Amino acid sequence: MTRVSGSAPLGSAPLGSPARTAGGRAPAPLLRRILLQGQYETITMLRNGEQLILAIVLPLLAMVGLTVTPLLDGLGPSRINVAVPGILALCAMSTAFTGQGIATGFDRRYGVLRFLSTTPLGRTGLIAGKVLAVLAVLFLQVLVVTAVALMLGWQPNAAGWLPGLAILVLGAASFTALGLLVAGTVRPEATLAITNLLWILLGALGGIVIPAERLPALSQAVVHFLPSGALGQALRDAFLYGSVNAGAVLVLLLWTAIAGGAAIRWFKWN
Amino acid sequence: MVRSPESPVLTINGLVKDVGPLPTLDGKMLRVVSGLSLIAERGQVTALLGANGAGKTTTIECAQGLQRRTAGSISLLGQDPDTAGAGLRARVGVMLQDGGLPPSARPIPLLRHIAGMYQDPWPVDELIARLGIDSFSRTSVRRLSGGQKQRLALAAALVGNPEVLFLDEPSAGLDPQSRQMVFDLIAELRNSGMGIILTTHLMDDAQRLADYVYIIDAGRNVAEGTVAQLLRHELPAGDDGQHIRTLLFETEPGLDFTGVLPDGVDITEARAGSYAATGALTPADLAAITAWWAARGIMPSSLSLEARSLEDVFLDISGREIR
């Protein structure tokens, strides 16, 4: 191929071999694209210091706080046994809602969503990659929280692990849908404010770490219908008693469906 | 211009795009593109030239499948971008106006990540060397200069070794060296058979790069042609395609040039002693004016001849008012 004369002093390497055979320009397989994007987003999330504080440090502090104060006394066999399921629920909210929501909001602002959707990854692959990253970070959170909790004397009901982890994934799905809904409809600064504020409000009063019966009477009725309250209660029922709270699972399914549908309908890519 | 016998890479027919409803328009829709058509060929650079807000970006974003069109048809490599899948996206490279690169990313891992989306990507090391990215490979996107960001965005658009390349304002923020590097690369890619579609509001870009230019104004086609064809645009009939040129010179103020040059040529004195003669100047006209100076012992302190620029054509066609 001919080189155009007078090429720049920078970048003196020869141009490779563009315009290979037409058959050469194929996308990588769908699964590989999604896994790559999931891996890339996971590393990005784990490299973000603020994200790590929200995902790991604050939940661990809350767990210690709940075991040294009498807040949860009388709700179960020990403070730590009542606290840990709520802390796992808080982890899901940190990563799926606040962390992922803020990241997506700024990706939208900087055109990253638009650029990636023009590559073979596409919009569907992009969302799938984000969901994968949320699950990967949540897995690491569960490992860290479980390790610290076991050291603090946590004795989970063995029959609770299977339903508990399934419910945790469902909770992550509903919070991911809510996070995407916020990130895709308002400015990133507003996403930052809304998701952080809701993290604090739902964390303190949403029935996630503090069960409904310890909340003011006014909020008790509402809490069961919030994704935070439903996830917290369902995880406590699983890890304390090994039982599945069908009502709470239904509430989570509804939130996932409604927020997911709304996000599909109203998400703006630019 | 010679149209290639192969099918075009992009055909847009009667594109209409409404946005809104907008509160600033009492809740009405705004028509940003109204009935635009264009064809882009393989192995050519096709430029969409227009002022800011003319509808260039909207048009190519509809072609990329980033925006849904209101009406009209688009065929990109024979497929409708609204319904096509990863197979089409793998053959098309896109450089967005705002870059679209994550601010926290570092150039090389980012390029490797995007390369992973393709079966047989352009070797990342080659792209890095070709676009001089190694000189800032350890800097995060957020700290790159405008020109470095543009070069990285171009590399990201090329990493799939596309058949069609979209460039939205490719020279924005480029210093002269980067600009030369990017322009050389675009020319090479064009020569290798890639179909390149770029938008620009810079006449100079279009003049230097484009094989075929569509001038867009208020969402409509207003003129099209090769740069040479457009430069002959609107010359008086019977002038058989002569270029409009401007002769600029500086000498003593207040000279009266009446009768020196033919009627078609305008002479103005922009400021005292600085003259511009514009029209279809011929060698005989130049001889006439220099003879006139010689007869009067006038020696200009500066003298230059400029061809009519694409900018003049553009302003003639789209009007000179500020939008």
Side-chain angles (χ1 to χ4, degrees), chain A residues 16-99:
Chain A
S17 49
R20 299 156 204 214
T21 53
R25 296 179 183 92
L30 176 67
L31 189 64
R32 175 154 159 241
R33 303 198 301 264
I34 292 172
L35 287 174
L36 267 180
Q37 186 63 21
Q39 181 192 33
Y40 189 82
E41 300 234 1
T42 304
I43 292 169
T44 307
M45 275 175 131
L46 293 176
R47 284 219 177 118
N48 182 334
E50 297 133 59
Q51 175 68 30
L52 281 184
I53 290 176
L54 192 73
I56 300 281
V57 179
L58 290 180
L60 287 180
L61 284 178
M63 183 162 73
V64 173
L66 289 170
T67 54
V68 298
T69 57
L71 224 58
L72 301 177
D73 282 0
L75 291 171
S78 71
R79 288 174 184 172
I80 187 80
N81 278 6
V82 183
V84 176
I87 296 302
L88 293 174
L90 188 66
C91 286
M93 186 165 74
S94 296
T95 298
F97 180 63
T98 309

Side-chain angles (χ1 to χ4, degrees), chain A residues 1-20 22 24-29 32-34 36-37 40 44 107 109-123 270, chain B residues 61 65-66 86-87 89-92 94 96 98-105 109-110 113-114 116-123 126 129-130 132 151 156 160-163 177 180-181 184-185 187-189 191-192:
Chain A
M1 80 156 279
T2 39
R3 293 247 309 157
V4 174
S5 60
S7 76
L10 295 165
S12 49
L15 190 65
S17 49
R20 299 156 204 214
R25 296 179 183 92
R32 175 154 159 241
R33 303 198 301 264
I34 292 172
L36 267 180
Q37 186 63 21
Y40 189 82
T44 307
D107 276 356
R109 151 77 52 87
Y110 294 120
V112 179
L113 301 184
R114 289 188 314 136
F115 171 66
L116 287 176
S117 61
T118 68
T119 70
L121 182 65
R123 292 180 176 180
N270 55 348
Chain B
E61 289 199 348
L66 284 172
R89 292 196 300 271
R91 299 165 66 193
V92 177
V94 173
L96 298 173
D98 52 13
L101 308 173
S104 63
L110 179 66
H113 173 57
I114 299 163
M117 301 293 166
Y118 301 87
Q119 194 79 263
D120 182 23
W122 195 322
E126 262 179 47
R130 187 62 182 79
R151 276 144 66 192
N161 187 21
E163 285 168 69
Q177 261 193 341
Q180 187 62 47
M181 178 194 290
D184 285 350
L185 180 55
E188 283 182 45
L189 295 167
N191 294 343
S192 77

Side-chain angles (χ1 to χ4, degrees), chain B residues 286-303:
Chain B
L286 298 185
I289 197 161
T290 46
W292 192 82
W293 291 333
R296 285 159 186 77
I298 294 171
M299 183 63 196
S301 59
S302 78
L303 176 64

